[in-house]
Amino acid sequence: MFAFITDLFHRLSNVETLLSIGQVFLFIILGFILLKIILIILSRTLSKTASPQMVMLIMKIVKYTGIIVIAFAVLQELGINIGIILGTAGVAGIALGFASQTSLSNFISGLFLIAEKPFEIGDVININNFKGTVISIDLLSVKISTFNNKYVRIPNELIIKSELMNITRFPIRRLDFNVSVAYKEDLEKVQAVLFSIAKENRYCLDNPEPVFIIKEFASSGIDILFGAWFLKTEYINTQNYMMIEIKKRFEEENIEIPFPHLSLYAGSNTASIPIEINEKKKDI
Amino acid sequence: MNKNKDIWKPFEFVDDRSYFIRIGPLRLWMERHDEEWFLAYDHQADEMGSTIVSKPSKGFIKKPDSISWHRIVATTDTNRITLFPVMDELPIVVGAEPPLIILPRNEALIFINVPVSIRIAAGTKKQVILFELPSVVLSKTWVGSPVNGELCLSLKTSAVRRKEYLTDKPNRVGCPVLIKNQSAKPLELEKLCVHTENLGIYLGENRLWTNKVVITHLGVNKNSEVRRVKGAPGMEENELQVASPRIPAKDGIFRKSFDLFKILVEN
């Protein structure tokens, strides 16, 4: 042991060895500085023309390739035979390839996702009951941040196989409200009130005009679909404003929003069971 | 001299004094304390005239408590305040009601009264923009398909045929548009999308004007050629430019025309 330490000390005290170590450190520092500069230039150039996910992908490829190149250069500088390492890596690669079929599948799916571009970073997507904003599109998975700020990692293979909804793909959206009104109500008046609510709402667009569809004569009332268009960034404001205004205006206009109810008939086809409400007298 | 012109003149602001400014439906309150500008505003339903008064002068209206102040920190060389009329960032869709029909080989000059935004600048030599706000809150509308279109402001006003018919409002700028129908079929004009952000503003003897716009309609399925006439529109004497186009129109008449102005033919 003592002999080994002495030998090492002698080797290190050798000027040539020290120079070689210094060269290696210089190599590492300069290599990483050069890589950083290349990444910055590449990022600035690509961001003008390519999509964010393409920029992210290219940056990662360049970054990891650069690190491997620096590592090989350092090993060569240290006098280690790279051929042996590459040979070992080849054998290990075959073994890893068998073991990482899922990763390979995700990788290929990732390439398809980047080519097809069903969504971009910043889009709001809905997949497998997860709804959130896309924060990263990588080669193996897509990361989303849910609205209650949870981090979800979805493998690319799953995205390719599943039905996906991109909620913010188009600049404007239609917000649909299922409104039910009592049978006694004048439907034309209901239509006019709903249109005026949308018109007065600063978050709703004048054009395209709102949609008004009488869906069905349901058991408790008449079901109506009312859809108002809005800018995709104004979802919460539009939803809250419309819900508040519909309730308020219906109350002002004496339009009844029915709740599920059941009428029982006792023998007669025309009259319902008379109900007598007895108010309980308060004890004085 | 129209008194509505006075609103665009600079005025000296006295520290620790309250000011009330009205420009059409916009009501604005301003104060300055300890190098901080205080600004509050609201929009009324009716469009009134224009005024600048300081407390306790006649006509001063106290700021309602429900309106909150905006605090702006800005170092300026003087306390001089200038209000500038500027066009909004978004294009404006104007409805022609009833629809205007222009027969083939005919042309029509129409005038549109477009509301301006108000830019508040402080200082004399080096002006600092303190705030910018619309004089009228317009609803938003969409032009084009839901997949691919552009966001615009919706203006409920009629296009008139003579400049004298434009109502004299301090917060409105007259936009002269000459429409030439060079197609073989009548042009039924229901809506116009005016890219006012590409137009400059000129102050004449009586009111504000934009550049004149000339649209040549070549057919329903063909693009219209649109041209912004450079310089003052020549609607009044002594027109002076008070605002440059917010977004300069791109080079090339043909390309520029589509960015500047579009005719919407409703199906």
Side-chain angles (χ1 to χ4, degrees):
Chain A
M1 184 69 183
F2 180 75
F4 172 75
I5 293 167
T6 315
D7 181 49
L8 187 70
F9 180 76
H10 277 293
R11 287 178 111 190
L12 285 176
S13 57
N14 187 332
V15 179
E16 277 184 19
T17 314
L18 280 173
L19 273 173
S20 178
I21 291 168
Q23 260 181 333
V24 166
F25 274 109
L26 199 67
F27 225 94
I28 293 169
I29 292 163
L30 287 176
F32 276 100
I33 289 170
L34 188 69
L35 183 62
K36 189 77 184 167
I37 291 167
I38 291 169
L39 288 172
I40 290 168
I41 293 168
L42 207 60
S43 167
R44 285 183 185 168
T45 316
L46 288 173
S47 59
K48 289 172 190 167
T49 50
S51 63
Q53 58 261 44
M54 187 61 84
V55 174
M56 193 183 277
L57 176 71
I58 294 170
M59 294 288 284
K60 280 188 178 173
I61 291 170
V62 172
K63 184 182 172 184
Y64 293 122
T65 311
I67 290 169
I68 290 167
V69 168
I70 292 168
F72 277 125
V74 167
L75 289 172
Q76 203 169 21
E77 193 62 32
L78 287 170
I80 296 164
N81 192 345
I82 299 167
I84 297 166
I85 293 173
L86 285 175
T88 316
V91 175
I94 294 164
L96 275 171
F98 279 113
S100 59
Q101 282 181 16
T102 312
S103 299
L104 194 67
S105 170
N106 280 324
F107 177 79
I108 292 164
S109 301
L111 293 178
F112 280 121
L113 276 180
I114 287 161
E116 192 188 338
K117 271 200 270 184
F119 50 80
E120 292 181 347
I121 291 167
D123 279 351
V124 176
I125 60 167
N126 189 356
I127 181 166
N128 280 9
N129 294 325
F130 289 113
K131 192 187 277 186
T133 310
V134 177
I135 53 174
S136 163
I137 303 168
D138 296 326
L139 281 176
L140 296 181
S141 63
V142 167
K143 281 91 177 180
I144 66 169
S145 158
T146 61
F147 295 127
N148 52 359
N149 208 24
K150 287 178 184 167
Y151 179 86
V152 182
R153 178 189 177 276
I154 306 165
N156 287 342
E157 190 187 1
L158 189 71
I159 295 174
I160 289 286
K161 283 179 181 172
S162 309
E163 287 170 358
L164 177 141
M165 187 193 290
N166 187 339
I167 297 166
T168 52
R169 180 61 173 260
F170 302 127
I172 57 170
R173 284 171 60 193
R174 198 183 75 196
L175 191 58
D176 291 342
F177 299 91
N178 289 305
V179 185
S180 194
V181 294
Y183 273 94
K184 67 181 173 67
E185 301 302 344
D186 177 359
L187 291 178
E188 286 177 350
K189 182 187 169 186
V190 172
Q191 184 181 15
V193 169
L194 287 171
F195 269 78
S196 83
I197 292 169
K199 198 175 179 184
E200 287 160 20
N201 181 357
R202 64 192 166 107
Y203 302 110
C204 287
L205 298 169
D206 288 6
N207 189 60
E209 285 200 345
V211 173
F212 179 88
I213 300 168
I214 301 165
K215 283 168 68 182
E216 67 169 325
F217 296 111
S219 55
S220 301
I222 302 169
D223 289 349
I224 293 164
L225 173 87
F226 183 72
W229 290 86
F230 66 101
L231 266 186
K232 68 179 179 184
T233 49
E234 300 287 2
Y235 171 72
I236 295 172
N237 288 331
T238 315
Q239 168 87 10
N240 287 343
Y241 180 95
M242 288 297 287
M243 294 299 270
I244 292 167
E245 280 300 306
I246 287 171
K247 188 173 181 298
K248 200 195 288 181
R249 286 289 299 277
F250 274 25
E251 282 172 359
E252 282 171 10
E253 302 284 342
N254 291 319
I255 296 170
E256 185 188 335
I257 300 175
F259 52 89
H261 59 271
L262 190 70
S263 295
L264 292 175
Y265 294 91
S268 167
N269 283 334
T270 52
S272 57
I273 298 172
I275 298 169
E276 192 178 332
I277 298 168
N278 295 317
E279 284 190 21
K280 194 179 177 182
K281 287 181 182 176
K282 288 180 182 174
D283 294 329
I284 300 168
Chain B
M1 175 70 76
N2 190 313
K3 71 181 176 94
N4 279 337
K5 275 181 74 171
D6 295 343
I7 200 78
W8 310 118
K9 286 180 180 172
F11 66 97
E12 293 300 325
F13 205 92
V14 180
D15 277 1
D16 301 322
R17 203 164 168 184
S18 296
Y19 285 80
F20 170 70
I21 301 164
R22 182 195 284 279
I23 307 171
L26 173 70
R27 299 195 304 175
L28 191 67
W29 290 268
M30 280 184 77
E31 289 178 13
R32 190 170 189 261
H33 311 285
D34 303 327
E35 295 193 345
E36 262 187 39
W37 296 88
F38 288 73
L39 201 140
Y41 66 91
D42 71 355
H43 293 91
Q44 299 285 293
D46 53 340
E47 301 208 11
M48 308 285 279
S50 60
T51 183
I52 299 175
V53 285
S54 64
K55 196 178 178 181
S57 305
K58 193 185 168 187
F60 182 86
I61 296 172
K62 193 174 171 286
K63 180 184 82 67
D65 293 334
S66 56
I67 305 169
S68 53
W69 287 108
H70 294 261
R71 289 171 64 186
I72 302 149
V73 178
T75 311
T76 52
D77 54 353
T78 60
N79 274 5
R80 178 171 285 191
I81 287 287
T82 315
L83 305 175
F84 291 101
V86 286
M87 302 310 298
D88 204 280
E89 288 174 336
L90 295 174
I92 287 181
V93 171
V94 189
E97 210 169 288
L100 188 69
I101 298 169
I102 303 169
L103 295 177
R105 309 293 165 195
N106 275 266
E107 61 181 45
L109 179 64
I110 60 169
F111 297 91
I112 305 159
N113 232 359
V114 182
V116 292
S117 287
I118 310 298
R119 182 177 285 170
I120 304 161
T124 308
K125 286 178 183 171
K126 196 179 177 186
Q127 287 190 323
V128 178
I129 297 167
L130 298 178
F131 212 76
E132 196 176 302
L133 66 167
S135 63
V136 180
V137 180
L138 298 173
S139 60
K140 291 189 173 76
T141 189
W142 190 255
V143 174
S145 75
V147 175
N148 190 12
E150 69 178 323
L151 185 67
C152 297
L153 296 171
S154 178
L155 181 63
K156 306 281 185 296
T157 184
S158 297
V160 295
R161 293 298 315 283
R162 292 179 66 175
K163 63 181 179 184
E164 292 81 13
Y165 296 161
L166 285 175
T167 46
D168 184 20
K169 291 174 179 172
N171 65 316
R172 301 259 177 169
V173 54
C175 177
V177 183
L178 178 66
I179 302 166
K180 296 177 179 177
N181 184 9
Q182 296 289 337
S183 72
K185 289 183 178 176
L187 166 66
E188 189 173 342
L189 202 71
E190 287 187 5
K191 284 179 181 175
L192 278 175
C193 177
V194 188
H195 280 249
T196 50
E197 73 276 15
N198 297 142
L199 303 177
I201 300 178
Y202 298 83
L203 182 61
E205 286 290 324
N206 295 304
R207 60 168 304 133
L208 297 167
W209 295 98
T210 65
N211 298 96
K212 190 177 177 182
V213 180
V214 181
I215 309 168
T216 309
H217 179 62
L218 303 168
V220 176
N221 296 322
K222 292 176 183 172
N223 290 323
S224 298
E225 189 186 312
V226 183
R227 189 165 55 89
R228 181 185 68 118
V229 181
K230 284 182 182 174
M235 295 293 145
E236 286 182 316
E237 294 290 318
N238 304 322
E239 287 167 340
L240 196 74
Q241 185 165 16
V242 286
S244 303
R246 184 185 279 271
I247 302 166
K250 288 171 188 167
D251 292 333
I253 293 171
F254 206 63
R255 211 177 128 197
K256 181 166 62 181
S257 66
F258 303 114
D259 289 342
L260 184 72
F261 218 106
K262 285 172 188 167
I263 292 181
L264 308 175
V265 181
E266 302 286 283
N267 294 315

